[in-house]
Amino acid sequence: MHITEIVSPLKKEDDSGHGFRFDKSLQELKDLRSQLHYAADYCETTFLNSDEKKTVVETTKEYICKAVVTFVDHLGNVSANLNHSISQTDSFSEAELRINCLQQRLVSCEQFAHKLALTRVKWNPVLPRHHRRYLSAPTIATVGKSNENPRVSIAASPAKLINKHELDTDGVPLFFFTCTDKPSLSKSPSLKSNFDESDSDSTLVPVRDGVSILSKGSNPTFHFQQGNKKLGRKGLYRKALPSGDILAFIRRARRSAA
Amino acid sequence: MARAGGITNAVNVGIAVQADWENREFISHISLNIRRLFDFLLQFEATTKSKLASLNEKLDTLERRLELLEVQVGTASSNPSLFST
């Protein structure tokens, strides 16, 4: 529906007819005022000049009654036309409807534009896939460092490891991580087992974008287990020693009491 | 004769007084109707002013909404990159 087709010509003629009627009745009321002034002057001169003043007075009374009735009639006509012209607010409601239509169209256009903009920014589920050999280098480097100093690896938090990956991967060209680092995997069996786990994992990750997935490759729990293996027995002894001291203290106390 | 003339004068005065009261009654009726007309005109003026004020308010609201729509359309048309895929 086109906006310019809403107002029909019949309503325009109707509105112009009501306006014309109001103007015509108002003009008749203005003409009646001048006629009343002229009639009042005529009655005054006739009353002063004539000998039968009683007849003139009666005629003037009748004319006054008729003039009042005529004035009331014209006034009612004018007021009715004006009231009808004011009360007829269909054009305003139509304009309001047209503005509502325009506003709704604009809101629809905005939503469409936002949708288009979101489709460009939205995350694409079909991520580019790279071979895993490009991802193994930073993981191995981190593991190697952790094996050299296990306490440091225990103390290091996973967030820091992720930051290391970011530092390793960001700014490094893709060809830097090549198969030349692969022989280092076969040197330590633990790393090899770790690599086998990563082999079993079939997810392939982009080099620069998959930071959260790369943190899985570091496998910090594995290093914690290594550290716990070295310190586990000592920890058990350390726990057992206080209980032995307490028993020895009790025995000494009994001997001294005896 | 004098008594008859006195009666005639009294009758004439009575007729004149009655005519005067009739004229006064007529004038009071006319004035009362004119006052009613004046009251009607005052009431009509108040009603018409109220209706015109409500119409003016509606027109102002529509004009503001139309200006807002014009600004929004101008903003959207000045940034056509939003609609380009």
Side-chain angles (χ1 to χ4, degrees):
Chain A
M1 182 181 65
H2 201 265
I3 298 167
T4 56
E5 295 175 355
I6 292 175
V7 179
S8 63
L10 183 64
K11 289 184 178 180
K12 282 182 180 178
E13 289 179 359
D14 194 14
D15 293 338
S16 63
H18 281 291
F20 178 72
R21 286 178 187 175
F22 173 71
D23 292 337
K24 188 178 178 181
S25 58
L26 193 64
Q27 188 62 36
E28 286 177 357
L29 192 64
K30 287 178 181 177
D31 295 338
L32 185 64
R33 182 184 62 181
S34 62
Q35 289 177 11
L36 288 175
H37 278 289
Y38 180 75
D41 292 336
Y42 176 78
C43 289
E44 188 177 0
T45 52
T46 306
F47 181 78
L48 291 175
N49 296 327
S50 67
D51 297 333
E52 297 178 354
K53 295 188 179 181
K54 191 176 181 180
T55 308
V56 173
V57 169
E58 292 298 328
T59 308
T60 305
K61 281 182 181 178
E62 289 178 0
Y63 184 77
I64 286 171
C65 289
K66 290 180 181 178
V68 168
V69 171
T70 308
F71 174 72
V72 170
D73 187 16
H74 280 79
L75 193 61
N77 194 11
V78 170
S79 61
N81 287 325
L82 182 61
N83 192 18
H84 190 269
S85 298
I86 291 173
S87 300
Q88 194 175 11
T89 58
D90 293 337
S91 57
F92 297 104
S93 60
E94 285 177 0
E96 193 172 1
L97 286 174
R98 288 162 64 187
I99 288 175
N100 285 330
C101 178
L102 283 174
Q103 195 170 7
Q104 193 64 34
R105 282 185 181 182
L106 196 62
V107 168
S108 300
C109 289
E110 282 183 356
Q111 288 179 356
F112 183 67
H114 287 311
K115 196 175 180 181
L116 285 178
L118 277 175
T119 51
R120 284 185 292 172
V121 180
K122 202 168 61 179
W123 177 71
N124 190 8
V126 184
L127 289 172
R129 289 174 172 249
H130 301 280
H131 197 270
R132 54 181 169 75
R133 64 182 178 179
Y134 297 112
L135 305 173
S136 59
T139 307
I140 292 161
T142 310
V143 170
K145 287 177 182 177
S146 64
N147 284 330
E148 287 175 6
N149 192 0
R151 291 181 182 178
V152 174
S153 67
I154 291 165
S157 64
K160 288 182 178 178
L161 290 173
I162 290 166
N163 291 330
K164 282 180 181 179
H165 288 304
E166 285 181 359
L167 289 172
D168 290 338
T169 55
D170 289 340
V172 179
L174 194 61
F175 60 85
F176 185 77
F177 305 106
T178 58
C179 294
T180 54
D181 293 334
K182 264 197 166 183
S184 63
L185 292 169
S186 61
K187 289 179 182 177
S188 65
S190 61
L191 291 175
K192 192 175 181 180
S193 65
N194 187 17
F195 186 69
D196 291 334
E197 288 178 4
S198 65
D199 282 338
S200 63
D201 192 7
S202 63
T203 56
L204 295 175
V205 187
V207 174
R208 294 168 190 271
D209 296 334
V211 177
S212 60
I213 303 171
L214 281 172
S215 62
K216 285 184 180 177
S218 64
N219 197 4
T221 57
F222 176 75
H223 306 299
F224 293 153
Q225 288 175 0
Q226 288 289 332
N228 288 330
K229 278 181 181 177
K230 288 182 180 178
L231 299 172
R233 290 179 183 176
K234 290 179 182 179
L236 288 173
Y237 289 136
R238 282 175 189 171
K239 284 180 181 174
L241 281 172
S243 61
D245 290 339
I246 291 168
L247 289 173
F249 178 74
I250 292 168
R251 286 172 187 171
R252 286 176 188 173
R254 285 178 182 176
R255 286 176 187 172
S256 62
Chain B
M1 288 294 290
R3 204 181 269 182
I7 292 170
T8 305
N9 288 332
V11 170
N12 290 332
V13 169
I15 291 170
V17 169
Q18 187 178 0
D20 183 65
W21 276 112
E22 285 177 356
N23 288 332
R24 288 173 185 270
E25 186 182 5
F26 175 77
I27 290 168
S28 67
H29 279 301
I30 294 295
S31 63
L32 180 62
N33 287 323
I34 288 173
R35 284 181 183 179
R36 284 179 182 176
L37 276 173
F38 189 72
D39 290 337
F40 167 75
L41 285 175
L42 286 177
Q43 189 178 355
F44 180 71
E45 183 191 9
T47 309
T48 307
K49 277 186 177 178
S50 174
K51 288 183 178 179
L52 286 174
S54 64
L55 282 179
N56 191 20
E57 189 178 358
K58 281 184 180 179
L59 280 174
D60 286 340
T61 306
L62 291 177
E63 193 175 353
R64 286 177 187 173
R65 290 181 64 183
L66 198 61
E67 287 179 356
L68 177 65
L69 284 176
E70 284 178 0
V71 170
Q72 286 180 352
V73 169
T75 305
S77 60
S78 65
N79 191 10
S81 62
L82 290 174
F83 298 97
S84 62
T85 56

